[in-house]
Amino acid sequence: MDLGVKPGDDFYSYASGTWLKNNPVPAKETRWGSFNVLRDFNINAVKTILTETAQLKNAAPGSLEKRVGDFYAAGMDSVTIDKLGYSPIKADLQKAASVKNVKEVLDQAATMRTSGIAAPLFGFYVGQDRKNPNNMVPQLSQGGTTLPDRDYYLKNDARSTKIQQAYKNYITQLFTLTGVSQAAAQKNAETIFNLEKKMAEAQMSRVEMRDPYKTYNKFAIADFTKTTPTLDWKGLLTKMKVTGQDTVLVNSSKFFTDLNSLLTSTPVADWKTYLQWNVLKSAAPHLSTPFVNANFAYTQALTGQKIQTPRWQRMSSQTDGTIGELLGQLYVKKHFKPEAKARMEELISNLVKAYEIRIKNLDWMSPVTKEKALAKLHAFTPKIAYPNKWKNYEGLEIKRNTYFQNVRNAGVWAYNDMVSQLGKPVDRTKWGMTAPTVNAYYNPVMNEIVFPAGILQFPFFDPNADDAVNYGGIGAVIGHEISHGFDDSGSQYDKDGTLRNWWTPEDLTRFKEKATALQKQFDAYTVLDTIHVNGKLTLGENIGDLGGLNAAYEAFKMTKQGKSNEKIEGFTPDQRFFLAWAQVWRGNILPESAAQQIITDPHSPGEYRTIGAPVNMDAWYQAFDVKPGDKLYKKPADRIKIW
């Protein structure tokens, strides 16, 4: 803490100022805060597990330990990887270069997708139908670009043009590493950038993509083909292993009509280059050192990271990202205590109780909508720590000396696993994050809140800490995830996870007025020079924080400590609650990463998450004696109360 600062002037520095001064961003990172400290602890815990399993001499064939150990050992064998150069993708590059017409371009793109090579042109996945969540359906989405957001192609300010140039340099470098001349590689870079820019122009913005109705466009496959005659979806989907389906969900029909025109107006030679680029960029992080270094130089331009993440850390993350439910079993055995699960169940139950009280007491919502909101709240499914049923990746071949092939095999396995869900009942035991992940999520079509084992540790959660610390930390995270069910997007789904309205028109109008006030509050926050927080993009997360912290405080007041005024280390229970919240969000970030975050991340920066909710809570003003004249003071009438 920095006690030299007045909490009512700068609560972020008051709660974390000294820590911020003493903890600059390490060279191998792009930001450093509570999340990163815990992620660092976790990745080291994972490293220990992986190193030990990789060294096991007598692990049984097919066992967890053998498969996890072999995957990691193969990734750490940089000598073998370097010897191979780019030979693992030579055949893929030749195939991409051999296409003769648009039909072959599309066929090759489909083959690349099913072979774990790359996903060119557009996005595709199998997921629940938002208006009928018991059905799994094929879904198509805008895509085809490489830079993190369409804005990077469309803006021409200094920051964006610098990144565009770094991207072109990256393309040039990867092509020259495969023996293409410098001049030809530079020409390729221009071709690819211009083609991707056209795809970016056809894409909707991230803010538009937050609208679940705007992105819900259901077509009979034959009818969709009529809107994009060059793309024969029946044939294409069959090549993508999707059979027996008559409808498809599309998130942006305009993107596909524009892509259709682009396919016919662009020379096939340019599509060849584009397909080759997709092979190259997907493979680069898994090839020899020159490819990995080129990939890092590009990342550096985007994020400002000073030195490359060490190989062990990249391979630990790769193992978690590829066979996370094998690794997760070893992780929870070692790092998750069953009593933490029991404590979490109690916390969740208290948060739901608090939310129920708050919904019942809302002065702006009618009884009929309250009834629906409570029904949704009571239908929530919590998932804690790890899946009840682990994936075993049956049929996935992993060898100790073929890292690239292991990654490729895993890509094929994951694709087949995804399309195999078509025509089957929805698997409600499935998790969207691995057990070691330091994060949590809400899934509207499942109406579930999920907390992996990775986040159930200090500073979010400590079974031995006082209630103020746990309710201000993990309690607020639980409340935040519950609030996603009632944010600007999640509130459009009912208790069964179906996208349908359950609000009266008057209640919805009042809700939107409150949400707009919160949007304006965050729009006013400045991050770098002229860059402001995007209140619309971050609205769901900001409602999550505001509702979550209020509910966590309500639940905290039900505990013995919450009812007392007994100080610990000189701080009252309420002060400790808000300090725990603030210290979760402390962190330093590189300017390049901060600029990227504003464009791509639906979460507000940590310093504004720290203050964004408390300045709307009367309890925070009382806890720290915040008065008119203090910089963060808001008049009681201006304090935003939603949930």
Side-chain angles (χ1 to χ4, degrees):
M1 295 175 69
D2 179 354
L3 298 175
V5 177
K6 241 176 119 178
D9 283 342
D10 181 356
F11 188 56
Y12 184 60
S13 297
Y14 172 76
S16 302
T18 302
W19 188 94
L20 292 164
K21 280 190 199 89
N22 295 337
N23 289 275
V25 179
K28 71 180 177 73
E29 303 287 344
T30 58
R31 56 175 80 180
W32 195 247
S34 296
F35 269 84
N36 309 86
V37 171
L38 181 46
R39 282 179 182 142
D40 205 56
F41 167 81
N42 264 9
I43 203 76
N44 278 289
V46 164
K47 177 195 184 184
T48 304
I49 292 167
L50 292 171
T51 310
E52 285 169 2
T53 49
Q55 287 166 356
L56 285 175
K57 294 281 180 279
N58 51 358
S63 67
L64 269 181
E65 289 79 2
K66 174 85 177 134
R67 297 169 81 199
V68 168
D70 283 358
F71 187 90
Y72 180 70
M76 290 304 288
D77 182 2
S78 53
V79 174
T80 301
I81 294 166
D82 279 349
K83 266 188 201 146
L84 290 169
Y86 79 101
S87 62
I89 57 165
K90 260 187 186 160
D92 301 327
L93 289 168
Q94 281 159 1
K95 274 185 204 138
S98 69
V99 295
K100 296 178 193 67
N101 53 47
V102 172
K103 186 185 179 305
E104 287 185 12
V105 169
L106 291 166
D107 287 351
Q108 182 57 27
T111 304
M112 284 164 70
R113 201 177 284 275
T114 58
S115 312
I117 297 170
L121 299 173
F122 53 84
F124 166 72
Y125 62 100
V126 170
Q128 285 164 271
D129 180 338
R130 277 173 272 168
K131 290 192 178 177
N132 189 355
N134 290 323
N135 279 2
M136 299 297 282
V137 288
Q139 310 202 25
L140 295 164
S141 59
Q142 62 182 34
T145 49
T146 306
L147 285 162
D149 189 83
R150 65 168 204 163
D151 283 11
Y152 285 106
Y153 295 91
L154 310 180
K155 287 184 169 176
N156 56 10
D157 57 279
R159 206 177 258 118
S160 304
T161 47
K162 187 181 160 201
I163 287 168
Q164 289 166 12
Q165 193 49 55
Y167 176 44
K168 288 176 188 173
N169 294 346
Y170 178 43
I171 300 172
T172 305
Q173 207 169 351
L174 289 196
F175 273 103
T176 56
L177 287 172
T178 65
V180 173
S181 73
Q182 182 76 14
Q186 278 171 335
K187 186 169 171 282
N188 287 352
E190 289 301 328
T191 299
I192 288 156
F193 183 83
N194 293 333
L195 198 47
E196 289 189 355
K197 185 178 179 183
K198 284 177 185 149
M199 290 191 235
E201 284 163 354
Q203 292 176 5
M204 285 199 280
S205 72
R206 279 176 194 256
V207 169
E208 288 174 291
M209 295 289 290
R210 283 183 51 74
D211 183 335
Y213 284 98
K214 197 179 238 179
T215 54
Y216 186 95
N217 304 288
K218 199 176 213 173
F219 289 92
I221 288 170
D223 291 344
F224 189 47
T225 299
K226 283 177 195 156
T227 70
T228 60
T230 309
L231 292 136
D232 161 27
W233 287 107
K234 191 173 187 316
L236 207 49
L237 286 166
T238 304
K239 283 212 163 56
M240 286 158 57
K241 302 190 176 186
V242 175
T243 50
Q245 300 290 313
D246 55 3
T247 52
V248 65
L249 274 176
V250 180
N251 77 351
S252 166
S253 26
K254 179 193 180 289
F255 174 80
F256 286 94
T257 51
D258 286 6
L259 178 63
N260 185 74
S261 311
L262 198 55
L263 280 161
T264 50
S265 64
T266 304
V268 172
D270 291 0
W271 287 119
K272 280 185 195 183
T273 307
Y274 172 78
L275 289 174
Q276 286 188 304
W277 169 238
N278 274 267
V279 171
L280 275 169
K281 73 173 182 188
S282 305
H286 313 297
L287 294 173
S288 57
T289 304
F291 285 88
V292 173
N293 289 347
N295 178 257
F296 175 64
Y298 163 63
T299 305
Q300 231 175 350
L302 283 171
T303 64
Q305 187 177 334
K306 303 287 184 288
I307 62 165
Q308 199 163 33
T309 310
R311 184 166 200 95
W312 69 261
Q313 191 171 338
R314 282 181 281 132
M315 289 308 128
S316 298
S317 298
Q318 185 68 33
T319 309
D320 185 36
T322 310
I323 46 172
E325 293 204 14
L326 298 181
L327 171 61
Q329 293 174 62
L330 301 173
Y331 173 83
V332 297
K333 226 183 271 180
K334 209 165 179 178
H335 291 283
F336 188 71
K337 297 171 183 70
E339 58 268 28
K341 195 165 188 170
R343 186 79 199 278
M344 270 301 282
E345 281 164 355
E346 178 198 326
L347 278 158
I348 289 171
S349 150
N350 290 351
L351 258 296
V352 169
K353 265 184 230 150
Y355 231 97
E356 186 180 316
I357 293 166
R358 296 190 68 80
I359 289 171
K360 283 178 178 168
N361 289 338
L362 290 176
D363 58 4
W364 57 270
M365 186 183 271
S366 67
V368 58
T369 307
K370 279 183 185 180
E371 202 177 308
K372 301 264 177 62
L374 290 167
K376 179 168 185 176
L377 176 70
H378 292 134
F380 269 59
T381 303
K383 290 180 176 175
I384 303 166
Y386 52 88
N388 294 332
K389 188 177 87 184
W390 295 96
K391 258 188 209 172
N392 68 358
Y393 306 89
E394 203 174 324
L396 170 58
E397 188 178 27
I398 296 168
K399 289 188 173 164
R400 203 177 175 88
N401 54 357
T402 56
Y403 171 63
F404 188 84
Q405 196 55 48
N406 291 342
V407 172
R408 187 60 65 80
N409 291 349
V412 173
W413 189 92
Y415 185 85
N416 291 338
D417 182 54
M418 176 178 75
V419 291
S420 75
Q421 296 170 58
L422 288 166
K424 288 184 190 162
V426 171
D427 178 3
R428 295 188 176 271
T429 65
K430 205 172 65 184
W431 278 54
M433 284 178 182
T434 65
T437 305
V438 182
N439 212 333
Y441 67 93
Y442 169 72
N443 180 349
V445 280
M446 291 272 208
N447 199 23
E448 64 181 8
I449 46 174
V450 187
F451 306 95
I455 199 171
L456 305 181
Q457 300 174 70
F458 185 80
F460 298 93
F461 177 67
D462 179 355
N464 305 314
D466 56 307
D467 280 328
V469 170
N470 278 327
Y471 278 88
I474 200 73
V477 172
I478 296 166
H480 172 101
E481 298 310 336
I482 293 174
S483 295
H484 274 315
F486 303 99
D487 71 16
D488 62 316
S489 175
S491 61
Q492 300 182 64
Y493 296 80
D494 70 8
K495 69 180 175 61
D496 304 319
T498 306
L499 181 61
R500 69 172 152 222
N501 179 45
W502 47 272
W503 297 71
T504 67
E506 300 76 20
D507 288 339
L508 193 56
T509 302
R510 283 192 282 265
F511 173 70
K512 285 183 173 167
E513 280 167 6
K514 287 171 174 293
T516 303
L518 192 63
Q519 182 191 315
K520 286 179 179 158
Q521 176 186 323
F522 278 84
D523 276 336
Y525 293 141
T526 312
V527 182
L528 285 172
D529 43 70
T530 57
I531 300 179
H532 279 254
V533 175
N534 182 339
K536 242 189 179 145
L537 177 63
T538 57
L539 183 58
E541 297 298 334
N542 299 333
I543 293 174
D545 282 350
L546 182 59
L549 193 61
N550 269 293
Y553 181 74
E554 182 103 31
F556 171 56
K557 296 313 274 182
M558 298 175 194
T559 67
K560 191 178 163 203
Q561 185 190 14
K563 290 177 181 140
S564 84
N565 278 319
E566 199 180 313
K567 290 185 177 179
I568 299 178
E569 296 173 340
F571 295 97
T572 67
D574 277 21
Q575 287 174 333
R576 288 174 70 77
F577 170 86
F578 286 109
L579 287 169
W581 163 259
Q583 291 180 352
V584 158
W585 300 116
R586 67 189 178 194
N588 287 307
I589 183 167
L590 301 175
E592 296 89 341
S593 289
Q596 183 181 336
Q597 184 188 349
I598 289 298
I599 296 172
T600 60
D601 194 342
H603 301 85
S604 297
E607 62 191 288
Y608 297 123
R609 294 189 77 172
T610 301
I611 62 168
V615 298
N616 291 305
M617 292 172 66
D618 301 346
W620 176 75
Y621 288 83
Q622 286 153 14
F624 295 98
D625 195 25
V626 180
K627 295 275 199 298
D630 291 347
K631 286 178 188 161
L632 293 176
Y633 182 83
K634 276 175 102 166
K635 291 203 296 275
D638 296 340
R639 294 172 199 168
I640 303 158
K641 293 173 173 62
I642 302 181
W643 292 106

